[in-house]
Every structure is written in C-alpha cells, then in structure tokens.
Amino acid sequence: MTYSIVARDPETGELGVAVQSRAFNTGAVVPWGEPGVGVVATQLYTEASDGPLGLELLRGGKSPEEALAELVAADDDSAYRQVAILDAEGRVAVHVGEACIPAAGFVSGAGFSAQANMVDSERVWESMAEAFESWEGPLADRLLEALDAAEAAGGDWRGRQAGGILVVGSEGKPWEREVDLRVDDHADPLGELRRLLRLRHAYRAVREPPGPSEEDLEALSELDRRWARIFTATATGRVDEAREELRPLLDAEPRWADFVRTLADRRLLPNAAELLDG
C-alpha cells in the first residue's frame, strides 16, 4: 500500500527508486537495484523476492517485460501485487494486479514509471510523472520531487509513515550505491528524506572539488563543518590554516591525532602527515 517511482537518468545512466507509504519499514522492502542492471519496486502485500529475482532475470538478458512475466506467472498471489521493473536502457514494465486496493494504477514515460495503490486518486501517479519530467537536477532529487508531488495530490489515504530513496550507478559492483536512504517511522518521512539527502550531498562535496558550498556547510554539524574546513584547506595546500582548525580538536581530545595519522596512511587527506608537524 504505497506509491513509488522507478527511473533512469539519461545523462548519467543512474537508476533509481523512491517510495513513500503509511507502512512501517517500506524503504527496506520496496526498492531494489543493481548498478548497470536495473531497479525494481515491489509493493502491495510485497513479495520481496521479486526484487532480487527480477534483477537476476535482467542480468541474465531478459527484458523488463519478460522478467516481469516470469515473476507474475510464478506468483499465486499476483492479483495482489504491484511491481515495476526498469532496466539499464530505461525500458520499463509494470504489473498492477486486479485485486490491488484502489485507487491503483501507473503511468510510464521515457525512462520512468510512477505507480501507486491505496492512494487518494489517479492524480497521485499522474502528479509523480509530471513532476519527474519537469524537474531538472540529480536523479535522487528528481525522485524526491516526484514523491512530494504525489503527497500534494493526496498520497496514501491512510497517511504517511516511511519512505526511501535508492540510486545505483550505470556501472559498478552489485553492492555499490550512489544513494541509499531510508526513513522507517516519521511524522514527515519526505521532509526527513530531504534532510538526509542534503546531508549526503554535503558529505560528498567535502571530498570532491571545488569543495562544500555555504549551503553544504550549513547542513553539517559543528564538528563536521570543522572537518570540512580541514579537508578543504589541506586539499588546496593551506596546511597552516588546517592546523589552526585542527588544534581545538586535539586540545579537547588528543586521540584525534590517531585519526589524522590513519587518514595520512590511507592517503585520504592530502598533506595529512604535515598537520601534526609544528
């Protein structure tokens, strides 16, 4: 009982799933994905095996339509299921069982599908599609905008409780994730997902040029902001400035020096070895 969207970013090849529901822990069972293979959303009396089995069929060369047909044929309770499968090429297939709780349905377009059940009206999935197609930016942000639009259109008529966003790359190891965020129980799961997604962007910006923006820094805790300034200063050769940022931490807890040495050993912080000199 939920609404979700599966999609591919044509610019990056990333694949993603986003979901919200008035069902505890929904982000742990609905979204599935594998880099360079595809994504699956399995919902409404969820058959969790549809996720890994659907990905296995895609990996073996099946199209989304063929993979979904096999899953439905093997499921005695397919009438109660809603499943969407999207592959690395952006092809999509959706199953909406005849016993799905209304309103239930979907709309698909170029490289995406939005599906829902037990929602206020068909405007829920229509609004998801419209928002996704009109919004620009990183895939995870577009997926979240689609969920916001679904909620604004009425959402799950029981209310809201949980959600999740999963994004995988165009290639990579099966377990690698670009974004993997989940809210299991919250009065405003989409608001909490947005906060977590902002944090994810901020943490990544710390380790990538040109470094974090002021907006990124605002999302971080006081301790993480200090480490962000240390990372940025050392990456640009401003070691004296980084030492000044590090000194209060060392004064309060000398064991931070062990952390810096580890960063130096692992080559995770440029000029890290020099931070403890002088």
Side-chain angles (χ1 to χ4, degrees), residues 58-130:
L58 292 181
R59 199 184 312 116
K62 300 287 187 181
S63 69
E65 291 82 0
E66 292 168 335
L68 187 58
E70 288 198 26
L71 294 178
V72 171
D75 186 358
D76 292 338
D77 291 320
S78 62
Y80 298 93
R81 315 284 192 213
Q82 192 173 51
V83 185
I85 300 179
L86 179 137
D87 71 5
E89 298 176 32
R91 299 179 298 176
V92 67
V94 182
H95 167 73
V96 181
E98 60 269 24
C100 284
I101 302 171
F106 76 98
V107 59
S108 59
F112 80 91
S113 175
Q115 47 282 326
N117 63 83
M118 207 173 184
V119 293
D120 196 53
S121 73
E122 64 184 28
R123 280 299 300 155
V124 170
W125 56 86
E126 291 172 350
S127 296
M128 274 194 286
E130 292 165 6

Side-chain angles (χ1 to χ4, degrees), residues 103-216:
F106 76 98
V107 59
S108 59
F112 80 91
S113 175
Q115 47 282 326
N117 63 83
M118 207 173 184
V119 293
D120 196 53
S121 73
E122 64 184 28
R123 280 299 300 155
V124 170
W125 56 86
E126 291 172 350
S127 296
M128 274 194 286
E130 292 165 6
F132 180 78
E133 289 187 303
S134 64
W135 196 264
E136 296 182 355
L139 180 59
D141 296 83
R142 293 179 67 192
L143 294 173
L144 186 52
E145 289 296 329
L147 295 185
D148 282 334
E151 188 63 26
D156 185 329
W157 50 256
R158 299 168 302 167
R160 53 196 173 173
Q161 182 174 10
I165 299 177
L166 173 65
V167 175
V168 297
S170 60
E171 58 184 19
K173 302 290 176 48
W175 55 85
E176 291 179 337
R177 302 286 183 266
E178 297 298 318
V179 178
D180 191 358
L181 301 174
R182 196 175 89 202
V183 175
D184 288 335
D185 181 35
H186 199 279
D188 180 17
L190 294 186
E192 181 63 3
L193 277 175
R194 189 172 298 280
R195 184 187 72 83
L196 294 175
L197 186 58
R198 187 181 177 200
L199 268 178
R200 176 262 182 192
H201 288 326
Y203 283 130
R204 176 163 290 189
V206 170
R207 292 168 174 80
E208 295 179 352
S213 66
E214 286 301 317
E215 184 179 3
D216 291 326

